Amino acid sequence: MRRTLVTFAAGFLLWVIVSQLNHSLAPWRIYLWVGGLFITHAALMLPLRCGLAASLLVGLLLDASAPVTFGTHLLLFAIGHGVIFHLRDRLPREETTARVIIALFANLALLLVLSFVLIQRGPAPAAVWPRIIFDLVCSQVFLAVVAPWFFALQARTLDLTESIADAYDRRYDT
């Protein structure tokens, strides 16, 4: 449970940063979406139960703050987490570069699926695709820059939490 909460807390921090950045970029009509980054570390580095719970919690957080049907991000993140988790034994998951590339592909796939699901709401779906592609390119560049920091943040907070818990257990076991 500890790993789930720490991973969710890091995801919450990323959500706050991206939300504030999107608010600042709104006058230029630029929107960043980093859904692939929310699930990549949890799917690659954590056991299935802990990682899936963290991904689902972040999915619920994004559902609560987005104008979509509640459960959309939850379902997308569950599917994305499952796909990455089942491929993780075939991937070089210890290398930061590989994790960034996996996050980029996950972000691409999730954003395209989300766009196809939501594009039916607009009056002219074909006219929206240039905007989606531009936002996708901006999001991918931002994700590639931020992902190493975010992966290091998650790994360090997990290590710190484990060391604090071990010290606490040693102190009160004697």
Side-chain angles (χ1 to χ4, degrees):
M1 186 70 170
R2 184 179 320 123
R3 288 187 249 173
T4 300
L5 292 176
V6 169
T7 304
F8 172 71
F12 181 78
L13 176 65
L14 179 65
W15 172 77
V16 168
I17 291 169
V18 172
S19 296
Q20 291 300 312
L21 189 58
N22 279 332
H23 179 73
S24 298
L25 294 172
W28 294 287
R29 294 185 177 97
I30 298 173
Y31 180 76
L32 302 176
W33 196 78
V34 292
L37 190 54
F38 287 114
I39 63 169
T40 302
H41 182 29
L44 290 176
M45 306 309 274
L46 297 178
L48 178 62
R49 190 178 219 168
C50 293
L52 184 59
S55 294
L56 295 179
L57 286 172
V58 173
L60 287 173
L61 177 68
L62 267 67
D63 278 335
S65 63
V68 297
T69 304
F70 196 74
T72 303
H73 289 99
L74 175 89
L75 181 63
L76 283 175
F77 285 9
I79 293 169
H81 182 92
V83 169
I84 293 171
F85 183 83
H86 288 293
L87 293 175
R88 78 183 194 169
D89 292 333
R90 298 179 194 108
L91 300 170
R93 60 185 176 158
E94 297 297 327
E95 299 175 20
T96 303
T97 306
R99 285 189 280 174
V100 171
I101 292 170
I102 293 164
L104 287 168
F105 279 118
N107 198 57
L108 172 68
L110 290 173
L111 185 61
L112 288 178
V113 169
L114 186 64
S115 297
F116 278 116
V117 168
L118 297 178
I119 201 159
Q120 302 163 3
R121 292 182 177 182
V128 178
W129 281 108
R131 174 89 252 148
I132 292 172
I133 292 170
F134 179 74
D135 287 344
L136 175 63
V137 169
C138 293
S139 297
Q140 295 292 74
V141 169
F142 176 74
L143 189 145
V145 170
V146 171
W149 166 80
F150 186 63
F151 292 144
L153 173 74
Q154 286 183 314
R156 184 66 184 132
T157 53
L158 285 170
D159 290 343
L160 184 61
T161 304
E162 293 297 323
S163 65
I164 291 171
D166 290 343
Y168 179 82
D169 291 343
R170 275 182 276 147
R171 181 175 180 193
Y172 289 105
D173 281 345
T174 58

